[in-house]
Amino acid sequence: MMLTQTIINENSTVLDKLTLGGETLLLGMIAIFAILFIIYLVIKVLGMTLNKESKSENKKANNVDNTPVINTKPVHKSAPAPVAAPSKQPAAETSSAANTVNDGELIAVIAAAISACSGEPVTKFRVVSFKHIK
């Protein structure tokens, strides 16, 4: 196959100009996508390498298998706050405002239980919904 060099000048036809422009466009697009694909591969390889290193560092730091650990250590060194005995409320006071207060307390208890079981601080997650089981 013999390569020919196309020279565009004022005597060239529109078809010659469009052909050379199309060839240039195609060559440029192929070069750009090849470079983008190479960058993609580099990022994937680096990501897999860094994830493998971080997982091995986490296993060395924790030195445990993937079973959940319940944190039984107290958060504060002071004595726990006394818990008030449940009061008997009259049936007339079971309005939506009272349920909202109870729901807020329930959310706080759920968040504290999740925090204690996972070992993460309460600020790392939030309770989105819960369902009362009767």
Side-chain angles (χ1 to χ4, degrees):
M1 181 174 164
M2 184 173 211
L3 295 176
T4 59
Q5 184 177 4
T6 306
I7 299 174
I8 301 295
N9 56 24
E10 62 273 351
N11 295 334
S12 299
T13 63
V14 174
L15 184 60
D16 290 338
K17 292 177 183 177
L18 284 176
T19 304
L20 184 62
E23 290 174 0
T24 306
L25 175 72
L26 188 62
L27 184 63
M29 288 178 67
I30 289 172
I32 292 297
F33 281 110
I35 291 170
L36 287 174
F37 184 71
I38 291 170
I39 291 172
Y40 168 77
L41 290 177
V42 168
I43 289 173
K44 280 297 226 185
V45 168
L46 285 176
M48 289 188 312
T49 305
L50 293 176
N51 282 342
K52 190 180 292 183
E53 288 176 3
S54 66
K55 286 181 182 178
S56 65
E57 287 176 5
N58 285 344
K59 283 187 178 181
K60 288 178 184 176
N62 291 338
N63 201 12
V64 294
D65 54 355
N66 291 331
T67 57
V69 177
I70 299 174
N71 187 3
T72 58
K73 296 178 182 175
V75 177
H76 301 286
K77 292 184 179 181
S78 63
V83 177
S87 62
K88 294 183 179 179
Q89 298 177 355
E93 244 182 315
T94 59
S95 65
S96 64
N99 287 339
T100 304
V101 171
N102 291 338
D103 288 347
E105 292 174 0
L106 184 59
I107 290 172
V109 170
I110 291 171
I114 293 171
S115 175
C117 287
S118 67
E120 296 286 330
V122 179
T123 57
K124 291 283 185 179
F125 59 89
R126 69 181 181 143
V127 177
V128 177
S129 66
F130 62 92
K131 181 179 178 182
H132 289 282
I133 298 175
K134 293 182 181 181

